Amino acid sequence: MSSRNNHVGDTTAQSYDDAEKGIYEASQQSLPVLPTPPSPVYSVDEKAIIQQVETVQPTPVTSPIHEGITPSSSTPVLTLASRNLPPSPASDDLKKPQGKPPAKPKRKVSRWILFQLWYNTYRKFFTIVVTLNLIGILMAAIGKFEYATNHLGALVLGNLLMAILMRNELFLRFLYIISIYGLRSWAPIWLKLAVTSILQHVGGIHSGCALSGACWLLYKIVDILIHHAKQHPSVIATGIITNVLVVISILSAFPWVRNNHHNVFEGHHRLIGWMGLATTWIFVVLGNAYDLKLGEWRLDAHSLISTQELWFAVFMTVFVLIPWVTLREVPVEVEIPSPKVAILKFQRGMQQGLLARISRTSIMEYHAFGIISEGRKSGCHYLICGVQGDFTKSLVDNPPKTVWTRELKFAGVGHASAMFKRGIRVCTGTGIGAALSTCIQSPNWFLIWIGSDQEKTFGPTISRLIHDNIEPERMILWDTKKRGGRPDSVQLLKDVWHSFGAEVIFITSNKAGNDEMMQGCLEAGLHAFGTLWDF
């Protein structure tokens, strides 16, 4: 069984295959950071900023994307008025070789900013859930929690059910629909930001409930062993087996295992998790059917159906099965614009902000990628798969004609963009796959894409989607190869924020780029949501 991360040269890049993770090209690591001039392309309403509009005729050789500016074909290029500021570099200047400017000193960030970003909503959820459950276990141990005494199995299964719900495609789509349609027309910005943060970080509830469920299960097994003289051996045996399987499934989901040994995570978390679910059923049925007081089995159906534990197990099973019921093998067209990228085309248009999980097999090795689509009526959607590990490399070396995918798509945090009036979607490298649909489907979102030689790397399909759907004044494409380095991304975001009138920023980048922008945005008071590595 191959691992998608085994052959990645830099271990820090091993987690970047997820759909909400963009990448810089490896060559960019040594590129200098250029001081960002006032942004050359902003809103056409900024009359005080725009000095003149010039028409640039396209040439058969050079695409506007190669110029590092907003792509256009006989479209206006906007330059900045002086206003005592140095002029923005014109496109002709960008064609000239530029000397490397001095390296920019590393931005100093306060410890308070770093702590706020570290102790995010994910960790707050995790802390609250685990703390409450540990208090419950302590109270149960000293005999002060009567419900736990009578319904210990319900506390185990209730936590595990909540953990499953927080990763279920259907349940999360329901939460997004309620939030978007319930808030976008009237809610103040602070409420929208709070709800978006909750939607992005529900993984903290997932992790907290899963760990808490395992702790309650361990407590239940200890309780059974203490009173083993009253218990039937089959109940003890299935309880121990269930405990072992659930603990293995949880341990395999730790971030280090998930990011560095993806196939180990997938095999243990999924397959052993399913085995744990099956043994949970046996454990629940046997535990409820055996009467401790009488020391005999109760075979009446009413005693089983009336228990909370049974219904928790029923709903756990239903929500585990729902995504897999929508599993299909679908045809795919693969375009390979460069050795670094495969563009996959599927039938059916999609809403913005969704993720697709695909695999060459029906059960194992599922990988998530952001969906690019011009809308639900467009007839097709695309995935951008950057070559990072065995799976994505095989898409380039041996393009498939069909892949397996779940028709029920997963909602990423970008799906919440529909709640806001105006925003900025900034991405690097293959992060354009998660960002582009938002800017295509909504005229109120500004695209900033930082990458190396974008048109050559990502090909004509992505270029066409950008040209055909996003106005020049609503995007900045920064070509690091042409411009000789990365921009001062934080200053760039500040400029666009004020000129475009944005309410929020969504970031899709690698860890270094994400940290830099999130720290800068928090320091400047800009509302931003970054990339997660904890799901």
Side-chain angles (χ1 to χ4, degrees):
M1 179 168 59
S2 64
S3 170
R4 69 172 177 173
N5 289 322
N6 286 348
H7 302 291
V8 180
D10 184 356
T11 57
T12 62
Q14 292 175 346
S15 62
Y16 298 161
D17 284 334
D18 288 339
E20 285 288 324
K21 302 174 178 62
I23 58 169
Y24 285 113
E25 302 298 340
S27 61
Q28 288 180 237
Q29 300 300 327
S30 60
L31 292 175
V33 176
L34 294 178
T36 305
S39 178
V41 181
Y42 289 155
S43 169
V44 291
D45 295 331
E46 297 292 321
K47 295 182 179 178
I49 298 179
I50 300 170
Q51 181 183 27
Q52 61 181 353
V53 178
E54 300 174 345
T55 300
V56 179
Q57 298 298 331
T59 66
V61 177
T62 306
S63 163
I65 295 183
H66 285 86
E67 299 301 319
I69 59 175
T70 299
S72 58
S73 179
S74 297
T75 55
V77 175
L78 309 179
T79 58
L80 300 176
S82 61
R83 293 169 61 181
N84 298 322
L85 294 172
S88 173
S91 58
D92 289 340
D93 295 332
L94 295 174
K95 297 177 183 177
K96 300 175 183 178
Q98 300 179 7
K100 290 187 177 181
K104 180 184 174 184
K106 188 175 181 180
R107 185 189 302 271
K108 291 185 178 179
V109 184
S110 72
R111 291 183 179 180
W112 175 238
I113 294 291
L114 294 175
F115 176 77
Q116 285 180 280
L117 292 174
W118 177 81
Y119 196 62
N120 55 17
T121 306
Y122 182 103
R123 289 186 169 90
K124 291 173 185 175
F125 276 144
F126 182 86
T127 302
I128 292 170
V129 170
V130 173
T131 301
L132 289 176
N133 277 279
L134 289 179
I135 292 173
I137 292 174
L138 179 61
M139 292 179 65
I142 61 176
K144 299 294 184 180
F145 191 3
E146 186 176 351
Y147 179 84
T149 304
N150 299 324
H151 301 284
L152 193 52
L155 288 167
V156 175
L157 298 178
N159 272 285
L160 296 180
L161 172 61
M162 186 59 65
I164 290 170
L165 276 178
M166 292 300 108
R167 279 292 181 258
N168 180 264
E169 287 90 335
L170 182 63
F171 184 73
L172 287 179
R173 289 287 292 274
F174 173 75
L175 291 183
Y176 271 94
I177 289 171
I178 294 298
S179 302
I180 291 170
Y181 290 101
L183 298 178
R184 67 178 175 185
S185 61
W186 66 271
I189 186 66
W190 66 265
L191 182 56
K192 293 180 180 179
L193 294 170
V195 171
T196 301
S197 183
I198 290 171
L199 291 172
Q200 184 185 27
H201 294 98
V202 292
I205 302 176
H206 167 79
S207 300
C209 286
L211 182 59
S212 299
C215 290
W216 278 111
L217 183 59
L218 181 61
Y219 178 83
K220 182 175 176 65
I221 297 303
V222 171
D223 182 68
I224 289 175
L225 292 176
I226 291 174
H227 304 93
H228 67 277
K230 298 180 180 179
Q231 286 286 359
H232 194 277
S234 63
V235 176
I236 298 175
T238 54
I240 293 174
I241 293 171
T242 300
N243 205 0
V244 170
L245 293 175
V246 170
V247 169
I248 292 175
S249 179
I250 290 172
L251 291 177
S252 68
F254 273 59
W256 183 85
V257 178
R258 192 172 62 235
N259 294 331
N260 294 281
H261 303 281
H262 179 80
N263 286 349
V264 172
F265 151 70
E266 199 167 18
H268 289 73
H269 193 64
R270 178 173 298 148
L271 299 181
I272 292 184
W274 287 347
M275 292 171 61
L277 179 60
T279 57
T280 297
W281 264 102
I282 300 172
F283 185 41
V284 167
V285 171
L286 292 178
N288 289 330
Y290 189 72
D291 192 320
L292 291 176
K293 294 180 180 179
L294 300 177
E296 59 184 29
W297 296 101
R298 293 174 299 182
L299 302 178
D300 59 301
H302 180 267
S303 62
L304 180 63
I305 294 175
S306 61
T307 58
Q308 299 177 30
E309 291 84 352
L310 175 73
W311 292 106
F312 279 129
V314 167
F315 284 112
M316 282 173 58
T317 305
V318 169
F319 282 105
V320 166
L321 291 177
I322 282 174
W324 295 96
V325 171
T326 68
L327 184 65
R328 301 287 186 275
E329 186 176 18
V330 298
V332 60
E333 299 175 22
V334 181
E335 174 188 340
I336 306 174
S338 69
K340 301 176 182 178
V341 172
I343 310 295
L344 276 58
K345 179 181 179 181
F346 299 86
Q347 297 302 309
R348 196 158 67 105
M350 295 281 177
Q351 291 176 306
Q352 61 83 30
L354 300 180
L355 314 177
R357 292 187 173 109
I358 61 171
S359 174
R360 285 180 177 266
T361 66
S362 58
I363 301 297
M364 294 295 295
E365 269 210 282
Y366 275 87
H367 302 262
F369 302 93
I371 294 173
I372 300 176
S373 178
E374 294 172 282
R376 282 179 290 185
K377 298 180 180 179
S378 64
C380 65
H381 64 275
Y382 303 87
L383 307 181
I384 296 180
C385 306
V387 175
Q388 288 289 301
D390 289 349
F391 177 79
T392 48
K393 188 174 186 296
S394 72
L395 297 177
V396 174
D397 295 341
N398 182 27
K401 296 187 182 300
T402 62
V403 295
W404 289 87
T405 187
R406 303 174 197 173
E407 295 292 299
L408 181 59
K409 304 303 181 185
F410 196 85
V413 69
H415 199 52
S417 63
M419 263 196 285
F420 299 92
K421 294 178 181 177
R422 290 172 82 79
I424 301 168
R425 201 65 169 87
V426 58
C427 60
T428 61
T430 56
I432 189 66
L436 187 53
S437 275
T438 298
C439 299
I440 286 177
Q441 296 185 28
S442 172
N444 299 317
W445 279 78
F446 193 105
L447 174 66
I448 300 176
W449 184 20
I450 303 167
S452 176
D453 209 1
Q454 289 119 314
E455 188 172 341
K456 182 178 179 182
T457 301
F458 294 89
T461 298
I462 303 304
S463 178
R464 177 192 62 78
L465 288 167
I466 294 173
H467 279 255
D468 291 351
N469 295 284
I470 305 178
E471 304 84 1
E473 61 270 18
R474 204 161 52 82
M475 70 174 89
I476 295 173
L477 305 183
W478 187 286
D479 187 337
T480 57
K481 187 173 183 180
K482 282 292 180 180
R483 294 212 179 198
R486 298 182 289 111
D488 182 338
S489 54
V490 175
Q491 185 59 50
L492 188 61
L493 287 171
K494 290 178 184 178
D495 292 342
V496 178
W497 176 276
H498 294 296
S499 67
F500 192 67
E503 291 182 331
V504 68
I505 300 168
F506 286 164
I507 301 167
T508 305
S509 183
N510 62 8
K511 189 149 193 335
N514 178 77
D515 289 349
E516 176 187 343
M517 287 185 271
M518 285 296 292
Q519 292 163 8
C521 286
L522 184 57
E523 210 167 31
L526 310 182
H527 311 307
F529 294 92
T531 307
L532 290 182
W533 281 269
D534 47 20
F535 64 92

